[in-house]
Amino acid sequence: MQKPLEFEVIKNCTHSKARYGKLKTLHNEFETPIFMPVGTNATVKSMSVDELKEINAQIILSNTYHLYLRPSDLIVKKAGGLHKFMNWGRSILTDSGGFQVFSLGDLRKIKEEGVYFRSHLDGSKHFMGPEESIAIQNNLGSDIMMSFDECAPYPASYEYIKDSYKRTSRWAKRGQIANKNPETQALFGIIQGGMYQDLRYESANELVEMDFLGYSIGGLSVGEPKPLMYEVLDYTVDLIPKEKPRYLMGVGSPDDLFEGVIRGIDMFDCVLPTRIARNGTAMTSNGKVVVRNATYQEDFTPLDEECDCHVCRNYSRAYIRHLIKANEILGARLITYHNLYFLINLMKNIRTAIKEDRLLQYKKDFFAKYYKI
Ligand SMILES: CNc1nc2c(CCNCc3ccccc3)c3nc(N)[nH]c(=O)c3cc2[nH]1
Ligand SMILES: [Zn+2]
């Protein structure tokens, strides 16, 4: 049987759990650890696919919940699938919709069969369960699909988390059975269990039993203190077979990328770079630059002196500040382009540091500048 995904660990870091690897889908092959730009409505906001290729994006995320509601997965299927619809020839990963139903929709009810919710667009009533989520992802044709899960809130009681992760495991099994394209679309299990070590163990073991092609660590980056997220990561990563890819969902500040890589994570996604760009904040090697501040009114240097991206080679802080203040679309576009390039480039430097066995030193050097320590 043809496999829709192949993953190979090429180099393990000697003084951390970091590893350098390669992941192959039916669309392309890319190196890990990797940062995946988020493209909720079948677009990485304000970026064309040509610009995404220019910044060397290899895999982008899209979303079952959003595309089901608008334009509908049936229309995307009629277009020939999401790759064709958005003219993106590289890899696509789709989230299963569970997280978005809880964080966006007006939640009505979680039942064994699935979730009844109201659309955040027009309040219309909908139902989504594992079978519906996988059918939508099959229609979208993404290379990597996520199991339908409940991302439990934080904080939550032990009893709540126990019931929730057990239902998520039952949903994962139902989703596996519902997958119509197991030879062309890989399915990941999502480990839940809140901040309770024994429940994380049980969730991971039940999903490893089901033999998914990769595993996401869910239920984190939901408002818990960072040290707690890192503590849960410390013991949860070890439960995933080391030859399978590990995806930490919704994580992507520079600090969290380093801490996640050091703890053995291979894949990351985060809306931060695109979201902060829209309010005029750029990520640079010397920390964040809120370019809308008056200080940059006559600053004719690039966003980041050390960045070789198209934006930093051609535009000044003063010009981009002017665009943001004038609420010109180009302002957000230019900062988004640079922020995405910054994180994609950071991951390239992290991969090189792993290959050369100097990751912890690189982390020290990076933050010495980023936080001007
Ligand atoms: C920000 N913190 C955070 N995000 C989480 C997500 C969503 C990850 N982002 C995917 C995305 C894809 C397309 C468009 C927009 C977002 C989760 N997704 C699932 N399925 N399960 C989680 O436990 C879970 C936990 C999360 N924590
Ligand atoms: Zn730049």
Side-chain angles (χ1 to χ4, degrees), residues 303-304 307-313 337-339 341-342:
L303 287 176
D304 185 346
C307 180
D308 61 349
C309 86
H310 176 79
V311 171
C312 291
R313 278 187 280 109
Y337 183 107
H338 162 79
N339 282 355
Y341 181 90
F342 179 82

Side-chain angles (χ1 to χ4, degrees), residues 38 40 61-63 95 99 149 151 192 218-221 249-250 269:
V38 163
T40 304
L61 265 62
S62 204
N63 200 284
D95 198 0
F99 182 80
D149 66 326
C151 172
Q192 295 290 347
L220 291 179
S221 187
M249 306 190 88
D269 88 86

Side-chain angles (χ1 to χ4, degrees), residues 14 21 32 34 38 65 86 94 102-103 111 129 171 218 226 295 306 316 334 341:
T14 49
T32 63
I34 190 161
V38 163
Y65 169 82
M86 63 183 292
T94 43
F102 297 117
S103 54
K111 311 277 274 190
W171 284 353
K226 289 287 176 204
T295 16
E306 294 173 33
S316 70
L334 294 178
Y341 181 90

Side-chain angles (χ1 to χ4, degrees), residues 289-304 311 314-326 331 334-335:
V289 169
V290 184
V291 80
R292 66 181 313 124
N293 286 351
T295 16
Y296 304 110
Q297 199 164 16
E298 297 183 18
D299 181 341
F300 301 108
T301 67
L303 287 176
D304 185 346
V311 171
N314 292 285
Y315 302 98
S316 70
R317 290 171 171 186
Y319 175 62
I320 295 171
R321 176 181 178 280
H322 157 66
L323 294 176
I324 293 288
K325 297 296 276 184
L334 294 178
I335 304 177

